[in-house]
Amino acid sequence: MKQPIVEIRTSPHIHSSPTVAQIMRNVIYALVPLAVFAVYQFGISALALIITVILSTLLTESLFAWLSGRDNTINDSSAAITGLLLALTLPPGFPLWMGAVAGFIAIALGKTLFGGIGFNVFNPALIGRAFVQAAFPVSITTWTPAFAPGRFAEFIPSTLTLPLMRPNDLTPWIEQVNSNLANKMDAFTGATPLAAWKFDGVTTDTMDLLTGMVTGSTGESAALLIVVCGMYLVIRKMMDWRIPVSVLAGAFITALILFLIDSEQYPDPLFVLLSGGLMLGAVFMASDMVGTPVTPLGVLLYGLLIGFFTVIIRSFGGLPEGVMYAILLGNALTPLIESFTQPRVYGEKRMDKKMVVEKTVVGESVGEKTAEENAS
Amino acid sequence: MRLLQSFFAKTFAHGIHPPTSKGQTDHLAIRRMPFSPRMMVPLSQHIGAPAKVLVHKGQEVVRGEPIARAEGFMSVPMHAPVTGIVEGIELMPTARGPKSEAIIINTYQAADQQVLYGADYEWQNASTEELIQQIQNTGMVGLGGAGFPSHVKMQVPEDHVIDTLVVNGCECEPYLTTDHRLMLEKTDSLILGIRIALRISGAQRAIIGIEDNKMDAVETIRERLTEDDPVSVGVVKTKYPQGSEKLLITALLDREVPSGGHSYHVGVVVNNVATLALIGELLPKQQGLIERVVTIAGPGVTKPGNYLVPMGTPLRFALEYAGYFGDISRLILGGPMMGNTVASLDVPMTKTVSGILVLEQTHDSGKQKTYPCIQCSRCLDACPINLNPSQLGRLAAKRQYEVMADQFHLNDCFECGSCSYVCPSNIPLVQYFRIAKSVNRERVAA
Ligand code: SF4
Ligand code: SF4
């Protein structure tokens, strides 16, 4: 028998779990239907925006990997996810150059600065989103009609704004789109369901919110589709279902309390759940594992808090949308939440279990055990 | 039926479900392995003081004869695995790593290898002290793992009352089927061993914990038990690490062994089925432990099976017999979750080796890439004692070993490997924890 080459490793010698790269790839699969729907809804502008932002995140990731001499990590798809998610939260007519800036900031500031994947405290996509929210307050709240005729042939005028230029006012274009509509009832007012509620007190039909027959950010509007895509990840055990569920529960409970206090001023909880970016945020952003607590109780608390803050910001803040800030806040609180929700370890003193035959025996035995240890 | 069974089977919280991989050997009856021409019996195959040599170079020994005696209470004797002549007492490599002293015996190939040594013993009339002495004389150690002397384990500290003897027949490690075969083939010895252990511990009842993937063993044992037998079988879920002593106690009795404590703190003594089956076989004849059943399995062997291997058989000899041709492989002594890889084929088989696995090399190096923790919380869902391996791993990366022990219960980790098994980032968590523990130990010692 020849002397074999024997491999020395420490136990365990078997391993089974999807790799990080596999998980990330599946998140992409889950997001693709949302992107497709967004393109169907908003046409080539949405497509161009999604591609631009993803390219921007991928290039930024590669650039920093090259600068820092680290292994290029674009293969693990996490940068692509950041880009895709980010694009889905931007308005469909968002100027492409601004989208590229958002993608750059997301990776550079939101991820690389912290040390790359696994070390980022905040969800990088939301960092990018928050940056452009502050930098381009007008563009990020300029909405365009969904299902505009001709959306596959021409860009929304603001899309192709030259870099560093301010986009032109969209009002004439929207009026033109409206005038082409057969049914004048569907005329676009320039407001998302959330803004319509916040500033005009109009709530949108629940069914339309579910199916995405409304306007809003590129990929936020089809609540039902988001849920289905999320379920795919849950079934493949690549997403922690407890996070979206507790975020939605937190939002629902808070909204319900407000609604019961004053149903005139506050919208019904179902509208709260289905409108704006809550669904996308709950399912795909709050649940991005990096930046979330790992302890079971921590996960619950984290989710509830995000839901709670979302509704509070929406109801009392100056902005119609609060999901983004709520999640960033949740990310920031994660270390704190984790620190006081450590699980109870097996064998830690707990008297409600039949831990001991006789309590006195344990008292003695602990003393005896230390004696034993000293002896050895 | 099967479904119902697993629904009602008891278990502990968390844990993992690795493929059991037992099909290769679980139907193969125990077969004797022939005697190697050269045997190496290390003097330290157990936890505690090494045994003291009783023989000298050139002396003839008879199979079953004591060749080394126990050095104090925390030690066990060794017996000659073969009839032959002592070639010498030398430093030999062992599976644990460092070289240690071993008695080398050249086997008489022509000799009839019956065990002639021993005498009938009426255990029913003996006192507890005598029985414990007799168990020490057999040289028995915990056959499942670390090799803790059985007689020490059976001696209950005076101020503790034992009400239950738990017999561990889980065999939750993948690939291994020795306990399973013993329960099927040595049922009577096992039950006798349990009755002896009941006598010693003073417990009123014994429960044999068996995972629900071994229902044939459950049935076989149940058939031998009487109506109001103090011995019963408890079916537990097939889950890793169900065979951990503390978790088995929790599954069967819903008692939690206090952190840092022992099973006797909750009124329980635990013994492995293999240990008790051999006590049942050896003690009434006053014989010593000279061979044990070993599962040899994995894709790298052509004749897998359960072999009765004499202690001291060189690993190379055992592997050749099982049809291993030295392909590039990973050799593991024990199970794949907690066993060790071995560097040399020249180490001898010892009392604690329950399996020899020849697995394929970990070829796909792409899968081996390690990422930082992505906080997926899978390891928390896997850890059977509810630690936070994610946090521990992050602290280990920063070398904050003391914080790990003081605030995050590092010392409660028993290195079962469940967390590493599920980690998508491929972080060698258990390895980190071992390093952390040993650094802490050194710090305390210094
Ligand atoms: S090795 Fe330790 S930390 Fe990991 S699962 Fe097992 S007991 Fe828990
Ligand atoms: S399983 Fe690995 S990646 Fe997931 S939380 Fe635990 S240590 Fe982190």
Side-chain angles (χ1 to χ4, degrees):
Chain A
M1 187 163 62
K2 64 184 183 217
Q3 179 67 32
I5 299 168
V6 185
E7 190 182 322
I8 304 295
R9 279 188 81 210
T10 54
S11 63
H13 305 286
I14 48 178
H15 181 252
S16 164
S17 102
T19 60
V20 171
Q22 279 167 336
I23 294 179
M24 297 298 171
R25 214 174 310 132
N26 276 279
V27 174
I28 299 260
Y29 298 158
L31 285 171
V32 163
L34 296 182
V36 169
F37 184 77
V39 173
Y40 166 66
Q41 211 178 0
F42 296 104
I44 50 174
S45 298
L47 184 64
L49 182 64
I50 291 170
I51 291 173
T52 309
V53 180
I54 293 179
L55 275 180
S56 163
T57 53
L58 290 181
L59 285 176
T60 314
E61 179 95 358
S62 302
L63 174 74
F64 278 100
W66 178 70
L67 282 180
S68 64
R70 265 196 295 242
D71 275 354
N72 197 337
T73 41
I74 56 169
N75 289 335
D76 64 31
S77 314
S78 67
I81 294 179
T82 299
L84 188 47
L85 265 180
L86 176 55
L88 294 180
T89 63
L90 299 172
F94 200 61
L96 295 182
W97 76 268
M98 293 183 183
V101 169
F104 173 81
I105 294 290
I107 297 295
L109 221 60
K111 190 172 172 191
T112 315
L113 197 66
F114 291 99
I117 183 172
F119 295 110
N120 47 311
V121 175
F122 299 104
N123 187 320
L126 288 177
I127 294 283
R129 176 74 163 64
F131 178 84
V132 288
Q133 176 101 44
F136 315 117
V138 176
S139 292
I140 199 107
T141 49
T142 305
W143 311 99
T144 51
F147 306 108
R151 62 191 183 278
F152 297 115
E154 57 163 4
F155 286 102
I156 300 169
S158 55
T159 299
L160 297 177
T161 311
L162 288 176
L164 304 182
M165 299 301 257
R166 201 185 293 252
N168 295 327
D169 189 10
L170 279 183
T171 323
W173 180 77
I174 290 172
E175 270 167 14
Q176 192 203 333
V177 170
N178 279 344
S179 67
N180 288 339
L181 280 178
N183 184 348
K184 296 284 180 254
M185 289 300 288
D186 284 345
F188 181 72
T189 57
T192 62
L194 211 49
W197 157 72
K198 175 115 188 154
F199 303 119
D200 307 322
V202 184
T203 53
T204 312
D205 183 55
T206 313
M207 207 52 211
D208 285 349
L209 288 171
L210 263 178
T211 52
M213 294 301 126
V214 294
T215 193
S217 294
T218 310
E220 289 182 349
S221 40
L224 203 59
L225 189 61
I226 295 171
V227 173
V228 171
C229 293
M231 297 275 274
Y232 164 77
L233 286 180
V234 170
I235 290 167
R236 300 221 51 188
K237 296 209 170 70
M238 293 180 176
M239 183 167 76
D240 191 345
W241 59 271
R242 295 171 299 182
I243 292 177
V245 168
S246 51
V247 171
L248 296 176
F252 187 85
I253 295 166
T254 316
L256 186 67
I257 292 170
L258 291 177
F259 184 67
L260 289 179
I261 293 172
D262 184 354
S263 62
E264 290 289 296
Q265 195 184 346
Y266 301 109
D268 75 277
L270 213 54
F271 173 80
V272 170
L273 287 196
L274 298 178
S275 59
L278 183 58
M279 206 47 99
L280 186 73
V283 177
F284 284 104
M285 287 195 272
S287 66
D288 177 5
M289 295 168 281
V290 183
T292 64
V294 290
T295 57
L297 191 62
V299 165
L300 183 72
L301 257 177
Y302 164 87
L304 289 177
L305 271 177
I306 290 176
F308 169 78
F309 283 129
T310 303
V311 176
I312 294 299
I313 297 171
R314 277 185 187 179
S315 304
F316 303 105
L319 300 161
E321 185 51 287
V323 186
M324 174 180 77
Y325 294 110
I327 295 175
L328 289 174
L329 200 61
N331 289 155
L333 289 176
T334 290
L336 183 69
I337 294 176
E338 255 188 24
S339 71
F340 65 83
T341 55
Q342 292 297 327
R344 193 199 72 95
V345 172
Y346 177 98
E348 251 186 294
K349 288 269 138 57
R350 188 177 61 179
M351 282 306 170
D352 59 321
K353 267 239 170 178
K354 283 174 275 168
M355 230 177 65
V356 287
V357 179
E358 280 171 33
K359 281 181 186 164
T360 48
V361 174
V362 161
E364 286 165 27
S365 62
V366 171
E368 172 235 63
K369 201 209 117 222
T370 31
E372 208 178 78
E373 272 176 354
N374 291 343
S376 62
Chain B
M1 176 61 203
R2 202 41 208 281
L3 212 81
L4 272 181
Q5 187 80 53
S6 62
F7 193 74
F8 288 114
K10 301 165 178 179
T11 191
F12 60 97
H14 299 176
I16 54 172
H17 297 274
T20 59
S21 312
K22 292 178 193 275
Q24 200 183 9
T25 56
D26 64 358
H27 57 286
L28 297 175
I30 299 168
R31 279 177 293 166
R32 172 170 294 285
M33 179 168 281
F35 298 91
S36 152
R38 196 162 182 262
M39 293 285 187
M40 307 172 277
V41 184
L43 295 172
S44 181
Q45 306 180 22
H46 54 268
I47 291 176
K52 260 270 184 298
V53 184
L54 291 174
V55 292
H56 55 80
K57 187 174 170 179
Q59 183 176 338
E60 277 194 3
V61 289
V62 180
R63 180 161 149 88
E65 176 185 346
I67 50 175
R69 66 172 165 78
E71 177 77 343
F73 186 66
M74 191 64 185
S75 180
V76 291
M78 305 292 161
H79 301 80
V82 289
T83 299
I85 188 160
V86 177
E87 185 193 300
I89 292 133
E90 290 169 25
L91 280 179
M92 296 291 297
T94 61
R96 283 188 192 164
K99 288 193 172 187
S100 87
E101 247 181 11
I103 302 172
I104 319 289
I105 303 172
N106 280 326
T107 311
Y108 286 167
Q109 287 299 350
D112 174 15
Q113 296 288 1
Q114 288 286 351
V115 182
L116 301 168
Y117 210 86
D120 283 344
Y121 177 65
E122 289 294 324
W123 68 272
Q124 285 90 344
N125 304 322
S127 69
T128 309
E129 288 72 33
E130 273 174 42
L131 283 173
I132 286 181
Q133 181 59 53
Q134 287 297 335
I135 289 179
Q136 184 177 20
N137 291 350
T138 62
M140 187 63 62
V141 299
L143 294 179
F148 196 80
S150 297
H151 66 283
V152 182
K153 201 168 174 189
M154 287 198 180
Q155 178 150 48
V156 182
E158 254 168 36
D159 48 353
H160 291 276
V161 181
I162 300 301
D163 63 2
T164 309
L165 168 71
V166 166
V167 185
N168 191 345
C170 291
E171 199 162 52
C172 60
E173 276 268 15
Y175 289 99
L176 305 187
T177 55
T178 62
D179 290 353
H180 188 182
R181 292 313 307 180
L182 278 173
M183 288 190 283
L184 290 175
E185 297 179 41
K186 305 247 176 182
T187 323
D188 292 327
S189 299
L190 170 61
I191 293 174
L192 181 58
I194 294 174
R195 301 210 194 281
I196 295 172
L198 270 175
R199 262 289 302 285
I200 298 173
S201 66
Q204 296 94 28
R205 58 172 178 170
I207 307 178
I208 311 170
I210 302 176
E211 286 189 338
D212 59 6
N213 61 352
K214 296 183 263 291
M215 290 313 286
D216 50 347
V218 173
E219 300 304 330
T220 309
I221 294 172
R222 278 192 178 147
E223 277 166 21
R224 315 282 168 105
L225 302 176
T226 54
E227 271 289 308
D228 51 355
D229 209 303
V231 182
S232 64
V233 179
V235 178
V236 292
K237 255 191 198 147
T238 302
K239 187 161 86 172
Y240 181 86
Q242 183 67 73
S244 144
E245 217 173 279
K246 293 180 177 183
L247 300 175
L248 183 58
I249 293 174
T250 305
L252 290 172
L253 302 170
D254 195 26
R255 293 181 198 167
E256 228 175 71
V257 181
S259 165
H262 294 280
S263 57
Y264 57 72
H265 289 137
V266 290
V268 180
V269 166
V270 185
N271 274 290
N272 179 267
V273 284
T275 306
L276 292 183
L278 278 167
I279 286 178
E281 191 170 295
L282 300 174
L283 189 129
K285 292 189 274 183
Q286 287 193 308
Q287 291 178 345
L289 174 64
I290 52 175
E291 53 199 7
R292 67 160 297 161
V293 184
V294 178
T295 299
I296 306 184
V301 289
T302 53
K303 287 194 291 172
N306 286 296
Y307 294 97
L308 193 57
V309 181
M311 304 303 167
T313 303
L315 178 59
R316 183 186 300 277
F317 182 89
L319 277 172
E320 265 171 30
Y321 189 72
Y324 167 69
F325 295 108
D327 297 341
I328 295 173
S329 295
R330 278 187 299 156
L331 287 177
I332 296 160
L333 293 190
M337 291 302 295
M338 290 180 86
N340 298 315
T341 43
V342 276
S344 157
L345 294 184
D346 296 318
V347 300
M349 302 297 295
T350 58
K351 295 177 178 179
T352 51
V353 176
S354 50
I356 309 172
L357 306 182
V358 187
L359 303 186
E360 266 141 27
Q361 199 105 9
T362 41
H363 32 74
D364 42 336
S365 56
K367 265 198 137 179
Q368 294 293 313
K369 184 168 157 56
T370 301
Y371 280 91
C373 172
I374 55 164
Q375 283 160 265
C376 68
S377 76
R378 280 164 198 256
C379 50
L380 279 93
D381 289 336
C383 181
I385 48 175
N386 234 346
L387 296 177
N388 187 340
S390 161
Q391 179 86 48
L392 284 169
R394 280 176 272 160
L395 287 168
K398 288 187 260 169
R399 296 181 199 283
Q400 298 187 351
Y401 299 140
E402 277 171 2
V403 180
M404 290 167 72
D406 297 343
Q407 291 172 31
F408 295 96
H409 309 271
L410 173 66
N411 295 326
D412 285 306
C413 166
F414 66 107
E415 297 167 25
C416 70
S418 301
C419 50
S420 298
Y421 180 80
V422 298
C423 178
S425 289
N426 222 337
I427 302 170
L429 294 163
V430 185
Q431 203 175 329
Y432 281 176
F433 303 161
R434 280 197 200 103
I435 294 169
K437 282 185 194 174
S438 70
V439 169
N440 280 346
R441 263 197 302 271
E442 270 166 36
R443 196 168 296 158
V444 170

